[in-house]
Structure formats: structure tokens, C-alpha cells
Amino acid sequence: MSVRRNVTSLVPALAAVFLLTAGCGGQEDAESGSERPTSPTTPHGYVEGANEAAEQQSRLVLGDPGSGDTRVLDLITGKVHDTARRPGVTALTTDGRFGYLHTADGTHVLDSGAWMVDHGDHVHYYRAKIQEVGKLPGGTGARVRSDAGVTVVTAADGQASVYPRTELEKGALGTPTRLPGTSAGAVVPYAEHLITLTGEGGGPASVAVLDRSGKQVAAPDAECVDPRGDAVTRRGLVLGCADGALLVHGDDGTFTAEKIPYGEDVPRPERATEFRHRPGSSTLTAPAGKEAVWVLDVTKGAWTRVETGPVVAANTAGEGAPLLVLETDGALHGYDISAGRETTVTDPLLKDIPEAGPGGTTAPVIEVDRSRAYLNDPEGRRVYEVDYNDNLRVARTFDLDVRPSLMVETGR
């Protein structure tokens, strides 16, 4: 098994090294973060207990709902790490570092030990040990959203709790702040505030901006009917609504909201309700019913409906990259988004595709980063690494001892 290098050419590699040296002046050794520096001034970007690297340190958190087995696959070394069994897991989500394993009696937090810090003009990539953090309350239906400062757990009843991020990074849950009132969707940390939707009785929900203590500080003039789905992009927070999307943008404490309409009436089963995208990208994907995919270009404020075959999973790396769609034939299909046509298709990779539903089954997903896509094959007990810039070439295949029915990528 070859070892992945997360650079596609020499230029990005040199750029990453330059950013770590020139952009973070004073750091003599980007790999020495595991020991406290002896110099009087702590280098910019230093994180105690972590090693800093010049390239992305991707890992996959994998879960088998049937057995409760979990694994962490290090995509740099190719090694698979065992973690604690979590019987009863029904879903797995991530914020780029922590894996959140959702069960009926709470959400287990696993520190994957891989993450990225984006400073705007440069980034830092880190790797550290994998460790169990604890269990958050919330149960079935809880939604977890994070930023660099806080992690917010919104229970199914709309009650939300805010946890300090610094405590999670130390391996502890910390003491949460309980927010007053209830939310009509997940409470999302964004622009050093908390964004929530308020409303009762199934009517239109209104946007409210809270400070980190839960006090309302702004209320952009916008409503969202039947809110479902959210995603944070560089352009702002996207909320899925019945007539399209609502984009909430924050700039130095001032918040605005604008609609990105579908431009046509869309039946409820064909609306975008669960967004997937590459972190850092402003291009979102979502199933548009059973045989099409919505692509939302947040920068242009436009929706594109791409007619495909029967959709199992979809994702894209963003501008200029193909739309990746796993279809029921078990093959990965590549589509030109602007032309709306298929450009590439692989041989069938998955021979048996489970459908999401009761009994510990869940449909496969596609995770995407800057150079590769990852597709989990639960029945085949493997994960495929795909080079989407090279006609969907399968670059590596990782054979596993568990059924990886659940998968998220961290370190991005």
C-alpha cells in the first residue's frame, strides 16, 4: 500500500512550506510541536501536544453500526487505529477534527487527532494522538455544530448547549452554557456568534443572531419556510428553505441575509435538505429527489440541477471539479456541472449497496478534499481513494476488518 502525499504538484508543496515559514515567522521546526519550545517566545501556530506539518493530515473516522466497532484510518501512513466500541451508533458527523458518534442516549466524542487551522492568508495542519473525549447529552436527533471557539449541541426538541472548544481539545467536555428558548434548526456557530432560527407552529422561521452567551444581538430581515439543512462556507452560512437557500453573512458584527431562490416551485421530496461539500469550498451539493443532484454555487448565488442516474451519494470539490455521484449501479460517475453531462464513469466499485434505514444500515457517502475523494464500501469492507482529477482513477484501496458503514474525513 503506497503512502499518500497530499500535494498534487511541487508548487503547492512549496507554497505550503513557504506559508509555514514566512507566514508564521519565528517557527524554526514545523514538526517540533510535541515539545514545548525552549525560546522565550512561543512560535506562532504552536499547539502543545501536536505536531505541525506542511501538508494536510487527513484521517477517516469509520463506524460499523451493527457491531459498534470504530476505526480511524490515517491517510498519510495508511495505518488503521482501533478505538472504543460504540454499540447503537446511528450516525457519525464531524467538525473537521472531532468525530461525533450519535446514539439514542447521547453523542460520543472522539478526537481524531488531525485538524487544520485557517488564518485566512495561511493555514496550519496538525496531527496528534487519537483519544476519547466523553459523551455529550442529546440522544437521537441531536445536531452538533462547531467553530474554533465553541461546539453547540442542539437536541431534537430545539434546546441547545454551548461547550467551550478549549476543553474538548484538552480531552474534556467542560461545563456548557444552556441557551434560552428553542431553535427551529441546528444552532450554528458563525462569525464569532451563534445563528439560530426561531418560529412556532410550522410557520416561517426567522433568523436570530446571538452572542456566545445566548443573548440576541441582531435579527436580519429574512424568513425561512420549512428549514432543513445548513452549511458554513467562506461566503456565509447557508440554510435550506422551501424556496431555495438563505445566505447569512457576517462582517465585523453586522449581519445580513439574502435569498438564493430555486427560481421555480420544487416539490418537497426534491428540495435540498442535506448539504455536502469540501470544507473551504463555496459549492454545495444535495440530492434533488432520486435521480438528480442540486449544485449550489454560493459565490454566484445560483442553483444548478444536474440530471443523473439513481443517486446514492454525491459531492464535489468545488469550482472546476466534477460532480461526483455514486449511483445504484455501484459505479462512481463524474459530471460536468456547467454542461450538466456525464464525463467519466468507473467500473462498478460497490457490488451491494445498502439503503439507509433501520437495523444499523446506512447508505455510503463520498468525502472530498483538495486532491482526493473517498468512497466507503460497507459490504466489501473497504474504502476507495479516488483521484477525481485523473478520470476517477482509483489511487488506493484500503481493506478493513470492519464494515465501514459510517465515514467522515478529518484534518481538512
Side-chain angles (χ1 to χ4, degrees):
M1 181 182 299
S2 60
V3 175
R4 171 186 176 185
R5 295 193 60 80
N6 284 312
V7 289
T8 56
S9 69
L10 180 60
V11 173
L14 291 175
V17 172
F18 174 80
L19 289 173
L20 285 170
T21 54
C24 305
Q27 182 155 341
E28 297 180 358
D29 184 0
E31 300 289 342
S32 64
S34 59
E35 296 182 4
R36 181 168 292 279
T38 56
S39 60
T41 303
T42 301
H44 171 65
Y46 170 80
V47 175
E48 186 174 5
N51 294 322
E52 187 172 0
E55 61 182 19
Q56 184 174 291
Q57 301 296 294
S58 293
R59 291 174 176 173
L60 297 178
V61 181
L62 307 165
D64 180 352
S67 67
D69 290 329
T70 59
R71 301 286 187 269
V72 176
L73 170 59
D74 191 320
L75 295 170
I76 301 299
T77 66
K79 294 182 179 179
V80 179
H81 302 266
D82 292 348
T83 58
R85 295 184 72 251
R86 298 299 184 195
V89 172
T90 57
L92 172 61
T93 58
T94 188
D95 55 19
R97 173 174 178 174
F98 297 93
Y100 299 98
L101 296 103
H102 302 262
T103 67
D105 62 348
T107 299
H108 299 272
V109 184
L110 174 66
D111 186 348
S112 75
W115 70 96
M116 178 191 75
V117 177
D118 188 349
H119 286 174
D121 60 344
H122 67 281
V123 297
H124 297 268
Y125 299 108
Y126 298 99
R127 58 187 296 117
K129 66 178 181 179
I130 301 165
Q131 62 178 343
E132 303 288 337
V133 177
K135 185 172 72 173
L136 299 168
T140 303
R143 291 150 292 181
V144 182
R145 304 290 186 267
S146 304
D147 67 2
V150 297
T151 291
V152 184
V153 181
T154 308
D157 62 2
Q159 295 287 336
S161 299
V162 183
Y163 291 82
R165 185 75 171 185
T166 53
E167 294 300 313
L168 290 179
E169 293 169 353
K170 294 175 182 177
L173 298 180
T175 303
T177 298
R178 312 287 183 185
L179 297 185
T182 59
S183 175
V187 177
V188 183
Y190 167 68
E192 300 182 356
H193 290 73
L194 304 174
I195 310 299
T196 183
L197 290 168
T198 60
E200 296 180 357
S206 300
V207 178
V209 181
L210 315 178
D211 64 18
R212 293 298 166 96
S213 68
K215 178 183 177 182
Q216 183 168 328
V217 296
D221 184 15
E223 292 184 336
C224 182
V225 176
D226 193 20
R228 292 188 295 167
D230 57 85
V232 175
T233 74
R234 289 186 180 275
R235 299 289 178 175
L237 167 63
V238 175
L239 302 170
C241 307
D243 56 354
L246 186 63
L247 176 63
V248 180
H249 177 72
D251 184 11
D252 196 25
T254 299
F255 290 84
T256 58
E258 62 178 296
K259 278 290 181 68
I260 306 178
Y262 289 123
E264 60 184 81
D265 289 334
V266 176
R268 197 171 194 266
E270 298 181 9
R271 296 172 189 167
T273 60
E274 184 178 355
F275 298 106
R276 296 191 68 85
H277 70 305
R278 176 182 60 78
S281 167
S282 294
T283 304
L284 310 180
T285 67
K290 294 183 178 181
E291 298 199 10
V293 175
W294 286 113
V295 179
L296 172 59
D297 187 326
V298 180
T299 302
K300 295 180 180 179
W303 293 90
T304 300
R305 181 186 170 105
V306 179
E307 301 295 333
T308 64
V311 178
V312 178
N315 210 335
T316 184
E319 184 177 359
L323 169 66
L324 306 178
V325 183
L326 174 67
E327 301 184 13
T328 54
D329 59 3
L332 192 62
H333 298 248
Y335 291 84
D336 181 303
I337 296 172
S338 59
R341 62 181 178 85
E342 183 178 279
T343 56
T344 316
V345 61
T346 68
D347 292 332
L349 299 176
L350 278 65
K351 295 182 179 179
D352 189 5
I353 301 177
E355 295 184 359
T361 59
T362 183
V365 298
I366 302 170
E367 291 286 341
V368 178
D369 59 33
R370 289 187 177 276
S371 62
R372 295 288 189 268
Y374 296 91
L375 172 64
N376 56 325
D377 178 5
E379 298 303 318
R381 295 178 177 245
R382 62 176 65 95
V383 170
Y384 293 103
E385 179 183 77
V386 177
D387 186 347
Y388 54 79
N389 290 312
D390 188 14
N391 295 316
L392 307 187
R393 175 179 60 87
V394 176
R396 290 188 292 178
T397 300
F398 299 96
D399 294 316
L400 303 164
D401 63 344
V402 298
R403 297 176 73 256
S405 299
L406 303 172
M407 180 179 75
V408 294
E409 183 178 356
T410 64
R412 298 176 294 181

